[in-house]
Each structure stands twice: as structure tokens, then as C-alpha cells.
Amino acid sequence: MAGEPWNRVNIAFPGAVSSVRVHFNSTTDASVKALLVENEKVLKLLRSEMLQTEVRVLYELLYILNNSYRGNKTFKGLKQVEQCINRLKNMKLDVALQDLTELCPNRIQRRLSVNAGECEVPSQPMLEWLCLKVLGAAKLMSCTLSRCSRTFSLTKQQMKWEEFIILNMVITSMLSRLWVISRGILVSLTTLYKQLLDLLRHIANAQPMPYLTEFSLPADMVQFLGPSDALLLTKELAKATESKKKKEQLKRETSSIKVKNKGVAWKVKEDVGVTVERAIGLDAGMKPFLKVFRDFSKNKSFPQKTHQADQKQKFKKQVRGAATFTDMASHLEEMIPWCESKKMEKEKRLLNFLHLKCQRLKCLEAAGYKVQRRLRTFRQEACWALSPQGSVPRSCRSCAATRRHNRLRTRFQSLRSQFKSSTLKTDVKKTQLKRQRKRTESSLTGLLVDDPKNRSICDSSPTLQTSGCDGEDDIDDIFASVGL
């Protein structure tokens, strides 16, 4: 098997030209179109984020388990899965398929080539080289499926022995996803190989340039793989064919329905202008029916709201009349299911909180503690919980809300104390300033009175005498007159 040309990582690229110009007709157009569709499917699977994620998970697991798990059979099976994936990467199948997409003509080129009668398509050596690549990738996917199944069985056996349960669960889930992805790639490669052979026959008949002289390509992928993979491919291809037939049947039914509808519409158009007799009840529009329905819904919801309010008042009366916490607990147990049946989520949540608190207080009451004061407060809380409006009672708040309220209150008190201290300091400064002003005024008056030269000035200057009493605005003038 090692000598087979498909079982090589680097298959020798043909030295002949990659594209040739051949006669192009509608049959060749259909073959190229089907080949491009299947090629795009394989490329999408190979470049999918899901496959890359699972491969990264496999690498991380092998890196973590490299030292502690090396002698384990499961670890060896994971290494074999890794070898298959690495070999598929080294084959660079996605690059070869991308080159095939670039060599094949696109939709516009095919349309023009059908009219012209000639077009450039991949040559026979290029198609045979791609067939070898696809065969090698399919064999690798078959080996990956078998390695994943074997490792999955070993991991499942370890889980039965209750060894590393969480780790083995991660490994089994990863292996199952890798198995599903590998199966999808294998099925897509099978259909791609079939389309490659179909186009290869047209190109070989038009312009033969044989590249494989010592190896004949198998006629079918099922013939090339083993019996287990052949059975899997047969089932998957049968499912694909059945789904395709269902789609075609659905498309035909849809087209026939459209044709029937067109006929009906045409008949309706022919009846334009023909008088149609209508009953008296059909002359009226939809407004009366909508009005009746609206009135009916209003009348239906009004008794329901009235009944709900009456039930709340009844519960509030029972709560106010409860003499012990035991009676209160029984009333709450009756109210909570009623709120749940009426879909009153907020009320139900509050009553559940109060019921837990009531159970704790009931134990204190049974132990002989005096809880009458708490019972009065609890009645108010229960009445508020039945129709929560306004501010929340302090005892109904959660611990986080209480801590937040206390923190805000402490912050407000500190701010108020800072404001009071700053106000007190300002008052003290004002008092000191007034005292200093009075002392300055008295000393200035004494100096002016004792001096006979300035006595006339004092007598004739009433503004000077009263300047110190005008207020804080004249104090600068007083100090300026003294020379300070």
C-alpha cells in the first residue's frame, strides 16, 4: 500500500499544462457546474470553524496528557487520530481544490462558451492528479473514522471503571464530533470524486493527455474503500438521493400549485363586471364584529379584576385578624398558590420572602419569646406585599438593599456633619471679626475725642462716627482711615 500513488503526502505535480481548450457544450457545462458545487462543499467542510475548534481541543488534550497519560491506550488512540489529521493538513487538499475552482470557468464564462462552442477547462493530467488527492484524503478520513471509534470504545470502558470521569467525558464528546465531521467530509469527497471522473471522461475524449500510466483510477469510491466504509457510504448516498427526490417532488408540487393559482386568478379576472348577489349580513363591514368582540372582552375582564380585588381584600382582612405567627403562616400558604395561579410574580416573590421570615418568627413564638410587636409590623408588611405600591417597608428589603441604604445614610450623615462644622467655623470667624471691628472703632473714637484738633472734625463728621456701625461693607474704609 505504501507504493500506491495516492498514499503519499506530496504527490508529484504533473509537468503538463493545467488547462486545455476543448469543445464546450451543454453536457460539459452541466459536468463543470456539478463539479464546482461539490468542490465548494468539500472546501466549506475543510475550512469550517467547527473542525478547526475540535482539532485545537485535540491538540490541547494531547499537550496536557503528554506526561501523566502517556502509557494509556486512550492516549495512544488520540495520537493516532492526531496523525491522521496532521497528514490531511500536510496533503494541502484545500489548496488543490481552490486551484481547481480557479481553473474551471465560472457561470458567465460557461454561458458565453456554450454560445462560442469552446472553453478552457482543467486538463486530463490535472484532473487525474486531483483524483489521487481525493482518494488519499478519503482513505485518511476512513482511517480517522476507525481510530475515533476505537478510541471512543476505550474511553467508554474507562468511564465504566470510574476513572477520570470528567476527562473521559470531554474526550468522548470530542471524538464523537470528530467522527461526525469526518463522515461528512468522506461523503462529500465521494460525490466530488464521482464528478471528477465524469468531467475526466469528457476531457480525455476531447484531448487525451494521460498522466497515470501504471495506476488505474477506481470507478467508484465504494469500490476503493473497505466494506465498513462502503456500507456507510451506501446508506448516506441513499439518504442523499431520497432527500433530493423529495426536494424535486416538492418543487414540482409547488410549481403545479402556482399554475393552478394563476388559473384561478385568471377566472376571477374574467368575472369582472358580473353582478354578484350578496346577503344582507355580508354588506356590513368587520367593525360591528370587532366592536362586539371588544365589548365582550372588556365585560369579561372586568368581573375578573373585580374578583381579584375582592380576593385581595379578603386576604388582607385575614392577615389583619391573625393573632399568632402560626395563623399568619397558614394564611400566607394559602395566598402564595393563589398569586401563582393569577401569574402575580412580584406578589408571589414577596409573599415567599415573608413566609420564610414568618417560619423563623413562629419558632421564636413557640420558644416563648414575646413577638407581638413584630407581629404588628409583619401584618403591615403582608398587606403591602399583596398590593405593592409606594415605598418598600424596611423589613421587606433585601440584605443588599439594606446595606446600600445604610451606606448612603452614613455618607449623608458625614456630609451633613461636615456642612455643620464648616457653618460653625464661619460663625466663629464672623463673631471674631465683629469683636475686632468694635475694638477698632472704640479705639479710633477715643483718639479723635482726646485730640482737641480733631474734636471739631468728630463733631462735624457724623459719617465718621457712624461708619463703623453700618455693617461689614464699611470696615475697609475704617482700616484705611487709621492707616492699617
Side-chain angles (χ1 to χ4, degrees):
M1 186 181 293
E4 298 291 341
W6 53 264
N7 194 26
R8 298 172 187 172
V9 176
N10 296 318
I11 302 174
F13 192 79
V17 291
S18 299
S19 61
V20 291
R21 181 173 289 275
V22 296
H23 178 69
F24 200 81
N25 51 20
S26 58
T27 307
T28 315
D29 181 21
S31 300
V32 173
K33 183 180 177 181
L35 176 62
L36 287 175
V37 171
E38 298 301 330
N39 187 28
E40 188 64 28
K41 288 182 182 179
V42 177
L43 279 174
K44 188 176 180 181
L45 288 174
L46 290 175
R47 295 172 178 175
S48 65
E49 187 65 26
M50 186 182 296
L51 176 60
Q52 305 304 324
T53 304
E54 298 303 330
V55 171
R56 285 196 297 269
V57 172
L58 175 63
Y59 289 162
E60 290 292 333
L61 284 173
L62 290 173
Y63 179 76
I64 292 170
L65 304 175
N66 187 30
N67 294 326
S68 60
Y69 223 61
R70 186 176 294 177
N72 195 281
K73 291 183 178 180
T74 304
F75 180 77
K76 294 179 180 178
L78 290 175
K79 290 291 288 184
Q80 291 176 353
V81 175
E82 182 198 19
Q83 289 173 2
C84 293
I85 292 173
N86 289 338
R87 190 177 178 87
L88 181 65
K89 282 185 178 181
N90 294 331
M91 282 181 61
K92 297 180 180 179
L93 178 65
D94 54 342
V95 179
L97 296 180
Q98 186 63 39
D99 293 340
L100 176 63
T101 305
E102 295 173 357
L103 287 173
C104 291
N106 55 26
R107 182 174 59 86
I108 299 174
Q109 292 173 348
R110 291 198 306 271
R111 187 184 301 172
L112 296 174
S113 299
V114 169
N115 297 330
E118 288 185 352
C119 183
E120 286 191 357
V121 293
S123 61
Q124 183 181 356
M126 184 69 181
L127 291 175
E128 290 181 352
W129 178 74
L130 282 168
C131 287
L132 291 180
K133 284 270 190 183
V134 171
L135 287 174
K139 199 67 177 179
L140 276 177
M141 287 296 100
S142 174
C143 292
T144 306
L145 288 175
S146 61
R147 298 293 183 270
C148 285
S149 301
R150 182 173 176 274
T151 312
F152 186 89
S153 302
L154 293 172
T155 311
K156 188 177 177 182
Q157 188 176 3
Q158 283 189 345
M159 289 179 69
K160 288 182 179 179
W161 294 340
E162 298 181 357
E163 293 182 357
F164 310 107
I165 294 179
I166 297 176
L167 174 63
N168 289 323
M169 284 181 64
V170 173
I171 294 174
T172 51
S173 60
M174 180 205 62
L175 288 172
S176 59
R177 291 190 294 268
L178 273 177
W179 189 89
V180 172
I181 295 170
S182 302
R183 182 189 62 180
I185 295 174
L186 180 59
V187 173
S188 300
L189 287 173
T190 304
T191 53
L192 176 63
Y193 181 74
K194 182 179 178 183
Q195 299 300 329
L196 280 171
L197 288 181
D198 191 10
L199 182 60
L200 180 60
R201 293 191 195 97
H202 290 288
I203 305 301
N205 293 330
Q207 192 167 351
M209 296 173 62
Y211 168 67
L212 299 175
T213 56
E214 298 179 358
F215 178 77
S216 59
L217 294 171
D220 195 1
M221 189 72 75
V222 178
Q223 176 186 349
F224 174 71
L225 297 175
S228 59
D229 298 321
L231 181 62
L232 176 66
L233 289 176
T234 305
K235 290 182 179 179
E236 293 295 330
L237 292 174
K239 288 180 182 179
T241 306
E242 186 178 356
S243 63
K244 189 176 180 180
K245 288 181 180 178
K246 286 182 179 179
K247 286 181 181 179
E248 291 177 354
Q249 184 179 0
L250 182 63
K251 190 175 180 180
R252 286 196 298 270
E253 290 177 357
T254 307
S255 61
S256 62
I257 289 172
K258 286 182 179 179
V259 170
K260 288 180 181 178
N261 291 337
K262 285 182 180 179
V264 171
W266 179 250
K267 287 180 182 178
V268 172
K269 286 181 181 178
E270 289 181 350
D271 291 337
V272 174
V274 179
T275 58
V276 180
E277 295 183 358
R278 295 184 176 87
I280 297 174
L282 296 176
D283 289 336
M286 290 298 294
K287 290 184 179 179
F289 296 100
L290 294 175
K291 187 175 182 300
V292 171
F293 178 74
R294 197 181 297 115
D295 295 339
F296 175 73
S297 60
K298 286 182 180 178
N299 294 331
K300 187 177 179 181
S301 61
F302 180 72
Q304 185 177 1
K305 290 182 179 178
T306 307
H307 176 70
Q308 188 172 341
D310 294 341
Q311 192 69 19
K312 282 186 179 181
Q313 292 297 328
K314 179 183 175 183
F315 282 139
K316 286 182 181 179
K317 188 175 180 181
Q318 291 177 354
V319 166
R320 291 191 186 100
T324 60
F325 277 103
T326 305
D327 298 338
M328 185 68 72
S330 62
H331 295 325
L332 290 175
E333 289 172 359
E334 184 182 355
M335 284 188 281
I336 289 170
W338 180 78
C339 291
E340 186 177 1
S341 64
K342 299 298 179 182
K343 296 182 179 179
M344 301 162 62
E345 295 296 330
K346 185 176 181 181
E347 289 83 350
K348 181 186 126 181
R349 193 163 55 247
L350 293 171
L351 290 174
N352 278 325
F353 173 73
L354 291 177
H355 185 258
L356 293 174
K357 185 177 178 182
C358 184
Q359 294 292 337
R360 183 170 57 84
L361 293 171
K362 187 171 74 172
C363 296
L364 294 176
E365 186 182 35
Y369 291 93
K370 294 182 179 181
V371 290
Q372 293 301 321
R373 185 177 177 182
R374 293 190 178 183
L375 182 60
R376 288 195 297 271
T377 309
F378 197 86
R379 289 188 192 123
Q380 298 175 1
E381 295 169 2
C383 292
W384 178 85
L386 272 174
S387 54
Q389 293 177 357
S391 61
V392 184
R394 186 177 179 181
S395 55
C396 285
R397 294 173 185 167
S398 62
C399 297
T402 307
R403 286 196 300 269
R404 186 168 60 252
H405 176 72
N406 293 335
R407 191 163 55 248
L408 292 174
R409 186 176 178 183
T410 305
R411 190 178 300 172
F412 176 73
Q413 287 177 354
S414 63
L415 290 173
R416 187 169 58 180
S417 62
Q418 290 176 7
F419 179 73
K420 284 183 177 180
S421 63
S422 63
T423 307
L424 183 61
K425 289 179 181 179
T426 306
D427 293 341
V428 170
K429 286 182 180 180
K430 285 183 179 181
T431 306
Q432 292 176 356
L433 188 60
K434 285 181 180 180
R435 288 176 182 175
Q436 186 178 1
R437 186 185 61 196
K438 286 181 180 180
R439 286 197 300 270
T440 307
E441 182 183 356
S442 60
S443 62
L444 180 62
T445 307
L447 288 172
L448 292 174
V449 172
D450 292 341
D451 194 353
K453 296 179 180 179
N454 297 330
R455 189 174 296 173
S456 60
I457 300 173
C458 292
D459 295 337
S460 63
S461 302
T463 56
L464 183 61
Q465 293 177 2
T466 59
S467 61
C469 302
D470 291 341
E472 296 177 7
D473 297 332
D474 299 331
I475 192 160
D476 294 335
D477 298 333
I478 295 171
F479 283 115
S481 63
V482 178
L484 295 176

